[in-house]
Amino acid sequence: MLNGTNIFLIGMMGAGKSTVGKHLAQKLGYNFLDTDPLIEKCAGKPIPEIFAKDGEDTFRDLEQQVLSQVSAYTRLVVATGGGIVMRSLNWSHLHDGIVVWIDVPIETLHKRLKTASEQRPLLQTADPLQTLNDIYAQRRDRYAQADISIMVTANETSEAVCDRLFEMIQTRIAPDRLK
């Protein structure tokens, strides 16, 4: 159906890109990659440490390098970091494949991220919910440039999201676009 075209999952932290991505890759017979562990491997340290010691710009540089290398391959479902859409150069790599925005309501993201906020450098603030709203406001227009957008409901399982996304890919992607 996709002739090996990669699928890049974008969206906010906590949207479920990694979880949905694993299901989708299995359903498509693709390999799955998550850019965050690849960045950690390249840097030799966890992402919170990269942010703390080297700063967000260094993290974004590593993210850009990893995306550049990953996009050279085919038959991949790639979960990207939430901020990958903010650099224009990254879009040139993302557009080598099909870009899918997994859109989750902010309140749902906040509930999901409450327990994991210490591992999310951008949420180390006095008001993580407001921070999520601010980040979403900054990125929304970039996310909206995706080829496919899927709105996730609060209680929807990752398997259900994957199934809906699979259907959307089948019905919305014209075979001519992939040649």
Side-chain angles (χ1 to χ4, degrees):
M1 166 175 81
L2 296 172
N3 297 326
T5 302
N6 291 336
I7 297 177
F8 295 98
L9 304 177
I10 63 170
M12 290 286 288
M13 63 183 96
K17 300 178 297 279
S18 298
T19 308
V20 171
K22 289 174 189 169
H23 293 302
L24 186 61
Q26 188 173 22
K27 198 169 187 104
L28 292 169
Y30 271 29
N31 290 310
F32 173 76
L33 284 178
D34 187 330
T35 58
D36 283 352
L38 294 173
I39 292 165
E40 290 179 333
K41 192 172 183 179
C42 287
K45 52 188 151 187
I47 289 172
E49 192 176 325
I50 299 169
F51 268 80
K53 291 186 177 174
D54 307 313
E56 185 175 356
D57 283 344
T58 298
F59 171 79
R60 297 296 172 201
D61 290 343
L62 289 167
E63 183 177 57
Q64 188 174 315
Q65 290 169 11
V66 165
L67 180 62
S68 169
Q69 292 171 1
V70 163
S71 65
Y73 293 90
T74 59
R75 301 183 59 75
L76 295 176
V77 173
V78 181
T80 66
I84 207 160
V85 297
M86 298 308 288
R87 285 199 176 174
S88 297
L89 183 57
N90 289 340
W91 279 99
S92 65
H93 299 301
L94 293 171
H95 284 307
D96 285 340
I98 298 166
V99 182
V100 175
W101 175 21
I102 300 178
D103 191 8
V104 178
I106 296 297
E107 297 74 26
T108 303
L109 293 174
H110 185 245
K111 285 178 192 163
R112 289 179 182 179
L113 294 167
K114 267 185 183 176
T115 56
S117 63
E118 69 278 353
Q119 290 148 9
R120 306 288 181 157
L122 295 178
L123 293 183
Q124 302 303 308
T125 63
D127 188 352
L129 178 58
Q130 184 58 51
T131 301
L132 279 172
N133 276 302
D134 294 345
I135 292 170
Y136 184 81
Q138 290 170 348
R139 297 176 181 173
R140 187 190 181 294
D141 290 344
R142 301 286 179 100
Y143 291 145
Q145 295 175 32
D147 300 306
I148 295 174
S149 298
I150 184 166
M151 177 57 85
V152 177
T153 59
N155 298 319
E156 196 170 16
T157 66
S158 56
E159 291 88 351
V161 174
C162 174
D163 291 344
R164 278 200 307 126
L165 182 52
F166 186 77
E167 293 296 318
M168 292 171 85
I169 290 169
Q170 285 184 309
T171 57
R172 293 191 184 184
I173 302 299
D176 292 342
R177 181 192 180 284
L178 303 175
K179 290 180 181 168

